Amino acid sequence: MSGAEMHALVERLYPICRSITGDGVRRTLELVSELLPLETHEVPTGTPVLDWTVPLEWNIRDAYIADTTGRRVVDFAESNLHVVGYSVPVHATMSRTELAEHLHTLPEHPAWIPYRTSYYAPTWGFCLAQRALDALPEGDYEVHIDSTLAEGHLTYGEHVVPGRVTDEVLVSCHVCHPSLANDNLAGIAVATFLARELAARQPYYTYRFLFAPGTIGAITWLARNAERVERVRHGLVLACAGDRGALTYKRSRRGDAPIDRVLEYVLRTSGREHTVVDFSPYGYDERQFCSPGFDLGVGSLSRTPYAGYPEYHTSADDPGFVSPDALADTLAVCREAFAVLDRDRRYVNLSPYGEPQLGRRGLYDSLGGRSDAKQAQLAMLWVLNLSDGGHSLLDIAERSGLPFASVTAAADALLAAGLLKE
Amino acid sequence: MSGAEMHALVERLYPICRSITGDGVRRTLELVSELLPLETHEVPTGTPVLDWTVPLEWNIRDAYIADTTGRRVVDFAESNLHVVGYSVPVHATMSRTELAEHLHTLPEHPAWIPYRTSYYAPTWGFCLAQRALDALPEGDYEVHIDSTLAEGHLTYGEHVVPGRVTDEVLVSCHVCHPSLANDNLAGIAVATFLARELAARQPYYTYRFLFAPGTIGAITWLARNAERVERVRHGLVLACAGDRGALTYKRSRRGDAPIDRVLEYVLRTSGREHTVVDFSPYGYDERQFCSPGFDLGVGSLSRTPYAGYPEYHTSADDPGFVSPDALADTLAVCREAFAVLDRDRRYVNLSPYGEPQLGRRGLYDSLGGRSDAKQAQLAMLWVLNLSDGGHSLLDIAERSGLPFASVTAAADALLAAGLLKE
Amino acid sequence: MSGAEMHALVERLYPICRSITGDGVRRTLELVSELLPLETHEVPTGTPVLDWTVPLEWNIRDAYIADTTGRRVVDFAESNLHVVGYSVPVHATMSRTELAEHLHTLPEHPAWIPYRTSYYAPTWGFCLAQRALDALPEGDYEVHIDSTLAEGHLTYGEHVVPGRVTDEVLVSCHVCHPSLANDNLAGIAVATFLARELAARQPYYTYRFLFAPGTIGAITWLARNAERVERVRHGLVLACAGDRGALTYKRSRRGDAPIDRVLEYVLRTSGREHTVVDFSPYGYDERQFCSPGFDLGVGSLSRTPYAGYPEYHTSADDPGFVSPDALADTLAVCREAFAVLDRDRRYVNLSPYGEPQLGRRGLYDSLGGRSDAKQAQLAMLWVLNLSDGGHSLLDIAERSGLPFASVTAAADALLAAGLLKE
């Protein structure tokens, strides 16, 4: 099942040391490409992108803190979280006191390694468990970070599922976090398998999947795709998509965009426990897509949301924190939501004065007087009554209380009978 | 009292075998005409009406199922519900098994005869109590339906109460059901007595009462009255108006048409137990009046609504199921609602800068300082304050919490003082 | 503290016999002038003002009812409430029965003297405690009211605190009630001290304080200041501002004017017990400012509202009924509300495509990955995201849930960084 396959992808991607640039992102996109063909883009250091500039590319080969005996007390090879992302190279010996200024721990979770970065201020540092720090005696330590910050590229990948129209649905997930499973290997996995499913049928919209580093990656894509941005009708950011908590949908900045209505409808009518929260300009790349200049109809789907669980941005967010069932459930909601979004259109009743005579067209029971009108007939009457160009099929489903599938079946029958036009 | 008179009309109309065409409708309109003059319209078979065509006229003289001894085991003379409406003529002998395909019962109510029709698919059938069916032994039966389906007419009646303006209020009730008392002899009775009351005073609006067969009758009227339809400002469909349940108001498709606000206001402020439901494209002729091409502000008033009681469309919907008190109560609500509707207009305060000096005009207590301002004075201040052309008297009553009658009295006093204009 | 100072002003103003015209108003404005410079206006009797005319000026020197022994059983010198305001002069002897038609009491509060006026119907009368009336034996009484109704003036005062813009905030309080402390010496005291505070800093808006007799004073000001009325953006009527009840804010007629939103926001977020009520055309001078021709965004702030306490318009509304703490609390809410109102503006994000890079401008923490984003950073992201010209800082505070002060600090920082414009 796809839950297990998605979890296998999470496990495979987990060891890679990713950042906003560098070979970790490239390797991640390569592994995804084995499941889903990706077009990979390389944008040179120094390229202006909106208010930002593509930074130097960062790569790291090794890093450690060793005691005077040469024993590595902190070792990048054990966890890539040990090094502050974008650390400049360093090789020095210093006292524990001097070193302490470069160390980050989580005193409230003494066994966990925190995740820290310093993309835009050149510095270096190590992250470690509080109890590992507590175990370090006074004395001198050798610190070594074998990293490079150099002219290079920012890398992102895209996969497009062509639809019947060129209007686009943008699905995006950030690919810049190192060994953190839920954040966001889970999102990458759901996006990958969702794209595969969509590619298996020709959808109405064109679906664009974006695998890009957070913030700077989304900004780079937005800067380089002004024309495509204009075609984006709807969008969804996938993040923290695999933990065992209930689903959380975060509305777009608009708050009532079609994507908002669709996700809320699917979550509500599915009976799943879930939460819907308003937009806030903090979280993932919805921050960029929903900046006021773009103001796209892009929401975000997570399970436990941004910063909402103690394991968030720590070594405890490992593959065991992500569940195959949760991944499958997130995928199922995306599948259902995009099925509704894809089919939700407005029609115009071509016989709007009085009801058309459905019986003559074989669409209505000939025997009258019974009070148990069939759902299919009710759905046709609802579609006819509300198809005035102002109500979509989702509007009709919500107002009638009928299942979306009944409403679409009614619309199909009425289209076939020449009673509706798009 | 009118409750008893209305019930007497229900009893008088009950035995007639009505359908969407035929002499039953004509006879019904004749009996109503004894109380309320009607203009009767005859529309020939084959006339195109919107998406429909006026059907053949159906009449029936006799019908029965007889056993081999000649005994009538099912007899139209006992109840006109026994024959499926619009049954084609038949005279044949057949086995019980063959016959059974043409028989309709209600297994869950074994003593009741159901009501069935087949207007647009030529067939024949009998309805009977399940226990009558159970008592029929195997063997041959003679079936005889002495009906005609022939070129003829569709018949409907109108009564117009002229008002001070040509804008119209449409009150409609269906007259096509055979021996069913609540559905819709009760509606016919309330409409008849409501029209008599309105005729006794000159209302503001012109009130048009329509007594027409369901669906095809409303469609025929709409097709033939394009100009009048443009004048319909408000409307009410009366159906199932006499059972002992609480009143139900079904909103127009618009949901916030003046008729909706008035009915809800009257029901709410009257303290009656009642229900208000949203429009749905299922029920009575509001389906046609609220089709998207017309989208008239027409609601529907019932007691227990459409298909909401087990007696619905069965022989148990007899005159005993209808109560004189319920008929009188439905009539009272119509009377109150039309009184509000008729008086609900927008005015413009001619002295809108500051309050006008009411005392100088004899409209205000000269003694100041008391905190118990009289309702009449409060009402004048409210009418002055909100009469900006954007608020109607009902708006003012709702916003102020004052009775509608106080608000209209204030408006009358201010009009007389030259402080308001229409 | 200002609570005590305000209460001292209430006590000082309390003995004066005020009415809608006359020396009592002049003396009141003189005493206020000792604390706050006032521009005093004198408008001659007979001047047409909107629908009204400035009335004769009323002054009174003495009044009493004496028994046949010459003993004053009711004496204006003891309480100016004893005389019906605007009483015409009278000097006569009459029986208790004849006299009784001119006497006003409060049977439900037998120890209290009511407050009554008759501005526009020429008559005379006395107000007294019910138990004082009960103690009067049958017999003849001398009645004497030494008043004058003569050509003169209506008097009102203004104080203007100039702001950075000429758009105005109007703060008004009525000055026409005689010895009633809460109604409205409390409002006068709060207005006086509020104006002093505002004058101590240059506010954004120009604040106009109006000390005028109720109704006719407001109408006179409106009639004479057509040009200034156009500049009034916001306003607040202060009345009954010093009793021990919780604060009540009464919305403007518009219901969603900025002053409404600001007062509701400050009351809600301050945690104070309070009530917000909709506009009604009864109360104080908001009646005139919110008449439909002006429809100004003027609300009203009271503690226990209009006619909401038994002491209202009686001798029990004395300085003991007003509390220094309550006066200080009302002042504090006005101070907070005007601080918000004064700072609540809309800005435009000059870098609206994606987030601007705050880190490069020193506005953002360089260390990433932590989940405890600082409030200051959140506030900047909110201001950037919603500064599209359509959201004010108050909108942003309400939508983000962040304190208004954080939002304004963020806006200031972003303005300084050139990321926002007004």
Side-chain angles (χ1 to χ4, degrees):
Chain A
M1 258 314 298
S2 57
E5 291 178 272
M6 288 188 282
H7 199 270
L9 178 58
V10 168
E11 292 193 319
R12 202 161 169 221
L13 296 172
Y14 183 70
I16 301 168
C17 181
R18 280 164 292 271
S19 188
I20 54 174
T21 61
D23 290 332
V25 173
R26 287 187 194 96
R27 179 65 185 145
T28 299
L29 298 182
E30 277 169 27
L31 292 184
V32 169
S33 292
E34 295 177 9
L35 296 162
L36 182 75
L38 292 184
E39 183 180 0
T40 303
H41 302 264
E42 297 279 354
V43 184
T45 296
T47 306
V49 286
L50 304 179
D51 187 61
W52 303 58
T53 304
V54 173
L56 294 175
E57 182 176 327
W58 184 67
N59 284 291
I60 181 165
R61 287 156 295 278
D62 191 14
Y64 59 84
I65 303 171
D67 63 18
T68 47
T69 72
R71 190 179 61 92
R72 293 185 172 198
V73 296
V74 174
D75 191 348
F76 174 74
E78 282 175 9
S79 168
N80 57 43
L81 295 181
H82 275 315
V83 174
V84 169
Y86 259 65
S87 278
V88 298
V90 64
H91 198 166
T93 299
M94 59 186 69
S95 71
R96 190 187 186 283
T97 308
E98 282 172 290
L99 176 59
E101 289 174 25
H102 293 270
L103 301 184
H104 305 276
T105 64
L106 287 171
E108 67 277 28
H109 294 290
W112 297 352
I113 309 165
Y115 163 56
R116 294 289 178 268
T117 64
S118 184
Y119 300 134
Y120 299 102
T123 184
W124 60 268
F126 284 88
C127 300
L128 66 164
Q130 178 67 40
R131 66 188 187 200
L133 175 59
D134 294 342
L136 289 190
E138 289 301 321
D140 280 355
Y141 290 91
E142 177 195 4
V143 296
H144 187 197
I145 298 181
D146 178 14
S147 67
T148 46
L149 275 158
E151 300 278 327
H153 295 83
L154 176 145
T155 312
Y156 66 87
E158 287 181 279
H159 177 90
V160 174
V161 180
R164 286 159 46 204
V165 296
T166 56
D167 289 348
E168 293 199 359
V169 178
L170 178 67
V171 181
S172 113
C173 54
H174 60 283
V175 297
C176 52
H177 285 29
S179 290
L180 297 167
N182 195 39
D183 182 13
N184 190 34
L185 305 179
I188 294 169
V190 172
T192 302
F193 281 76
L194 180 60
R196 283 158 57 101
E197 286 190 5
L198 279 165
R201 59 178 176 90
Q202 194 191 18
Y204 177 76
Y205 290 111
T206 292
Y207 284 75
R208 180 175 302 273
F209 288 80
L210 180 60
F211 300 81
T215 305
I216 186 69
I219 283 169
T220 299
W221 185 85
L222 286 164
R224 290 162 50 97
N225 289 278
E227 226 174 278
R228 270 176 196 141
V229 170
E230 302 217 338
R231 279 190 243 134
V232 173
R233 294 286 163 274
H234 319 286
L236 192 64
V237 171
L238 290 170
C240 303
D243 66 87
R244 290 168 179 81
L247 281 159
T248 301
Y249 177 69
K250 175 179 169 179
R251 292 187 180 104
S252 75
R253 180 180 185 271
R254 296 184 199 164
D256 62 351
I259 191 76
D260 301 321
R261 294 199 43 222
V262 165
L263 261 293
E264 293 188 48
Y265 175 79
V266 166
L267 287 168
R268 187 176 67 246
T269 56
S270 76
R272 282 173 175 85
E273 187 190 348
H274 70 279
T275 308
V276 175
V277 298
D278 275 328
F279 177 76
S280 67
Y282 218 69
Y284 294 98
D285 285 332
E286 65 275 12
R287 292 162 65 160
Q288 312 309 326
F289 302 129
C290 296
S291 57
F294 295 114
D295 200 18
L296 299 177
V298 174
S300 174
L301 187 65
S302 299
R303 301 198 69 88
T304 306
Y306 180 82
Y309 47 96
E311 296 85 354
Y312 181 79
H313 279 192
T314 77
S315 56
D317 179 5
D318 61 19
F321 185 68
V322 167
S323 118
D325 286 351
L327 290 165
D329 185 60
T330 306
L331 177 63
V333 164
C334 292
R335 181 190 303 130
E336 292 166 35
F338 288 150
V340 172
L341 186 69
D342 230 48
R343 187 64 187 83
D344 183 33
R345 279 194 288 296
R346 288 178 168 78
Y347 296 97
V348 176
N349 177 346
L350 293 170
S351 183
Y353 294 98
E355 291 171 8
Q357 194 179 3
L358 296 175
R360 152 157 72 86
R361 296 170 175 95
L363 298 174
Y364 211 75
D365 257 12
S366 61
L367 186 71
R370 301 190 321 185
S371 55
D372 57 337
K374 288 183 188 151
Q375 185 164 288
Q377 294 186 11
L378 282 175
M380 277 188 272
L381 292 174
W382 274 108
V383 171
L384 286 167
N385 191 270
L386 292 179
S387 287
D388 52 9
H391 296 87
S392 75
L393 297 185
L394 180 57
D395 293 328
I396 297 172
E398 293 203 318
R399 186 147 161 192
S400 69
L402 295 169
F404 188 77
S406 297
V407 171
T408 56
D412 289 340
L414 294 167
L415 280 164
L419 285 167
L420 289 187
K421 72 166 180 185
E422 201 159 341
Chain B
M1 258 313 298
S2 56
E5 291 178 274
M6 287 188 282
H7 199 270
L9 179 58
V10 168
E11 291 194 318
R12 201 159 170 223
L13 296 172
Y14 183 70
I16 302 167
C17 181
R18 279 164 293 272
S19 188
I20 53 174
T21 61
D23 291 331
V25 173
R26 287 188 193 95
R27 179 65 186 145
T28 298
L29 299 182
E30 276 169 27
L31 292 184
V32 169
S33 290
E34 295 176 11
L35 296 163
L36 182 76
L38 293 184
E39 182 179 0
T40 302
H41 302 264
E42 297 279 354
V43 184
T45 295
T47 305
V49 285
L50 304 180
D51 186 61
W52 303 58
T53 305
V54 173
L56 294 173
E57 182 176 326
W58 184 68
N59 284 291
I60 181 166
R61 285 155 297 277
D62 191 15
Y64 60 84
I65 303 172
D67 64 17
T68 48
T69 72
R71 189 177 62 92
R72 293 186 171 197
V73 295
V74 173
D75 191 348
F76 174 73
E78 282 176 10
S79 167
N80 55 43
L81 295 180
H82 275 316
V83 174
V84 169
Y86 259 65
S87 279
V88 298
V90 64
H91 198 166
T93 299
M94 58 187 70
S95 70
R96 189 187 186 282
T97 308
E98 283 172 288
L99 176 60
E101 288 174 25
H102 292 269
L103 300 185
H104 305 276
T105 63
L106 287 172
E108 66 276 29
H109 295 288
W112 297 352
I113 308 165
Y115 163 56
R116 294 289 178 268
T117 65
S118 184
Y119 300 135
Y120 300 101
T123 185
W124 61 267
F126 284 87
C127 300
L128 66 164
Q130 177 67 40
R131 66 188 187 200
L133 175 59
D134 294 342
L136 290 190
E138 289 300 321
D140 281 356
Y141 290 90
E142 177 195 5
V143 296
H144 187 198
I145 298 180
D146 179 14
S147 65
T148 46
L149 275 158
E151 300 278 327
H153 294 83
L154 177 146
T155 311
Y156 67 85
E158 286 182 279
H159 177 91
V160 175
V161 181
R164 285 160 45 206
V165 296
T166 55
D167 289 348
E168 294 198 359
V169 179
L170 178 67
V171 181
S172 115
C173 55
H174 60 283
V175 298
C176 53
H177 285 29
S179 290
L180 297 167
N182 195 40
D183 181 15
N184 189 32
L185 304 179
I188 294 170
V190 171
T192 301
F193 281 75
L194 181 60
R196 283 159 56 100
E197 286 190 4
L198 279 165
R201 58 178 179 89
Q202 194 191 20
Y204 176 76
Y205 290 110
T206 293
Y207 284 76
R208 179 175 303 273
F209 287 79
L210 179 60
F211 300 81
T215 305
I216 187 69
I219 283 169
T220 299
W221 185 85
L222 286 163
R224 288 162 50 98
N225 290 279
E227 227 173 278
R228 269 174 197 143
V229 169
E230 301 218 337
R231 279 190 243 134
V232 173
R233 293 286 162 273
H234 319 286
L236 192 64
V237 171
L238 290 170
C240 303
D243 66 86
R244 291 168 178 81
L247 281 159
T248 301
Y249 177 68
K250 175 178 168 179
R251 292 187 181 104
S252 75
R253 180 180 184 271
R254 296 184 198 164
D256 62 351
I259 190 75
D260 300 321
R261 294 201 42 222
V262 164
L263 262 294
E264 293 188 48
Y265 175 78
V266 165
L267 287 169
R268 187 176 67 245
T269 56
S270 76
R272 281 174 176 86
E273 187 191 347
H274 70 279
T275 309
V276 175
V277 298
D278 275 328
F279 177 77
S280 67
Y282 218 69
Y284 295 99
D285 285 332
E286 66 275 12
R287 292 162 65 160
Q288 311 310 326
F289 302 129
C290 296
S291 58
F294 295 114
D295 201 16
L296 299 176
V298 174
S300 175
L301 187 65
S302 299
R303 301 196 71 89
T304 306
Y306 180 83
Y309 46 97
E311 296 85 354
Y312 180 80
H313 278 191
T314 77
S315 56
D317 179 5
D318 61 19
F321 184 67
V322 167
S323 118
D325 285 351
L327 290 165
D329 186 60
T330 305
L331 178 62
V333 165
C334 291
R335 181 191 302 131
E336 292 166 35
F338 288 149
V340 172
L341 186 69
D342 230 48
R343 186 64 187 84
D344 183 33
R345 278 193 288 296
R346 287 178 169 79
Y347 295 98
V348 176
N349 177 347
L350 294 170
S351 184
Y353 294 97
E355 291 171 8
Q357 194 179 3
L358 296 175
R360 154 158 71 84
R361 296 171 173 93
L363 298 175
Y364 211 75
D365 258 11
S366 62
L367 185 71
R370 301 190 321 185
S371 55
D372 58 336
K374 288 182 186 150
Q375 185 163 289
Q377 294 186 11
L378 282 175
M380 277 187 274
L381 293 173
W382 274 108
V383 171
L384 286 167
N385 191 272
L386 292 180
S387 286
D388 53 8
H391 296 88
S392 75
L393 297 185
L394 180 57
D395 292 328
I396 297 172
E398 293 204 318
R399 186 148 161 191
S400 67
L402 295 169
F404 187 77
S406 298
V407 170
T408 56
D412 289 340
L414 294 167
L415 280 164
L419 285 168
L420 289 188
K421 72 166 181 185
E422 201 159 342
Chain C
M1 256 316 295
S2 55
E5 292 177 273
M6 287 188 281
H7 199 271
L9 179 58
V10 168
E11 291 193 319
R12 201 159 170 224
L13 295 172
Y14 183 69
I16 301 169
C17 181
R18 278 164 294 270
S19 187
I20 54 173
T21 62
D23 290 332
V25 173
R26 287 188 193 94
R27 179 65 186 146
T28 298
L29 299 182
E30 276 170 28
L31 293 184
V32 169
S33 290
E34 295 176 11
L35 295 163
L36 182 75
L38 293 184
E39 183 179 359
T40 303
H41 301 265
E42 297 279 354
V43 185
T45 296
T47 306
V49 286
L50 303 180
D51 187 61
W52 303 58
T53 304
V54 172
L56 295 174
E57 181 176 328
W58 184 67
N59 283 292
I60 180 165
R61 287 155 295 278
D62 191 14
Y64 59 84
I65 302 172
D67 63 17
T68 47
T69 72
R71 188 178 63 94
R72 292 186 172 197
V73 295
V74 174
D75 191 349
F76 174 74
E78 281 175 9
S79 168
N80 56 41
L81 294 180
H82 275 315
V83 174
V84 168
Y86 259 66
S87 279
V88 297
V90 64
H91 199 168
T93 298
M94 59 186 70
S95 71
R96 190 187 186 284
T97 307
E98 282 172 290
L99 176 59
E101 288 173 24
H102 293 268
L103 300 185
H104 305 276
T105 64
L106 287 172
E108 66 276 28
H109 295 289
W112 296 354
I113 308 166
Y115 163 56
R116 295 287 178 269
T117 65
S118 184
Y119 301 134
Y120 299 102
T123 185
W124 61 268
F126 284 88
C127 299
L128 67 163
Q130 178 68 40
R131 66 187 187 200
L133 175 59
D134 295 342
L136 291 191
E138 291 299 322
D140 280 354
Y141 290 91
E142 177 195 3
V143 295
H144 187 197
I145 297 181
D146 178 14
S147 67
T148 46
L149 276 158
E151 301 277 327
H153 295 83
L154 177 146
T155 311
Y156 66 86
E158 288 182 279
H159 177 91
V160 174
V161 180
R164 285 161 45 206
V165 296
T166 55
D167 289 348
E168 294 198 358
V169 178
L170 179 67
V171 181
S172 115
C173 54
H174 59 284
V175 298
C176 52
H177 284 28
S179 290
L180 297 167
N182 196 38
D183 181 14
N184 190 32
L185 304 179
I188 294 170
V190 172
T192 301
F193 281 75
L194 180 61
R196 283 159 56 101
E197 286 189 4
L198 279 166
R201 59 178 177 88
Q202 194 190 18
Y204 177 76
Y205 290 111
T206 292
Y207 284 76
R208 179 176 302 272
F209 288 79
L210 179 59
F211 300 81
T215 305
I216 186 69
I219 282 169
T220 299
W221 185 85
L222 286 164
R224 288 162 50 97
N225 290 278
E227 227 173 279
R228 270 176 196 141
V229 170
E230 301 217 338
R231 278 189 244 135
V232 173
R233 293 286 163 274
H234 319 286
L236 192 64
V237 171
L238 290 170
C240 303
D243 66 86
R244 289 169 178 82
L247 282 159
T248 302
Y249 177 69
K250 174 179 168 180
R251 291 188 181 104
S252 76
R253 179 179 186 273
R254 295 183 200 165
D256 62 351
I259 190 75
D260 301 322
R261 294 200 44 221
V262 165
L263 261 294
E264 293 187 49
Y265 176 78
V266 166
L267 287 168
R268 187 176 68 245
T269 57
S270 76
R272 282 174 175 85
E273 187 190 348
H274 70 280
T275 309
V276 175
V277 297
D278 275 328
F279 177 76
S280 67
Y282 219 68
Y284 295 99
D285 285 332
E286 66 276 10
R287 292 163 65 161
Q288 311 310 326
F289 302 128
C290 295
S291 56
F294 295 114
D295 200 17
L296 299 176
V298 174
S300 175
L301 188 65
S302 300
R303 301 197 70 89
T304 306
Y306 180 82
Y309 45 97
E311 297 85 354
Y312 180 80
H313 279 192
T314 77
S315 56
D317 179 5
D318 61 19
F321 185 67
V322 167
S323 119
D325 285 352
L327 290 165
D329 185 61
T330 306
L331 178 62
V333 165
C334 291
R335 181 191 303 130
E336 292 166 37
F338 288 150
V340 172
L341 187 69
D342 231 48
R343 186 65 186 83
D344 183 32
R345 277 193 289 297
R346 286 178 168 79
Y347 295 98
V348 175
N349 177 346
L350 294 170
S351 183
Y353 294 97
E355 291 171 9
Q357 194 179 4
L358 296 176
R360 151 159 73 85
R361 296 170 174 94
L363 299 173
Y364 211 75
D365 258 11
S366 61
L367 186 71
R370 301 191 319 184
S371 57
D372 58 336
K374 288 183 188 151
Q375 185 164 291
Q377 294 185 10
L378 283 175
M380 277 187 274
L381 293 173
W382 274 108
V383 170
L384 286 166
N385 190 272
L386 292 179
S387 287
D388 53 8
H391 296 87
S392 77
L393 296 185
L394 180 57
D395 292 328
I396 297 171
E398 293 204 317
R399 186 148 160 190
S400 68
L402 295 169
F404 187 77
S406 298
V407 171
T408 56
D412 289 340
L414 294 167
L415 280 163
L419 286 167
L420 289 187
K421 71 166 181 185
E422 201 159 343

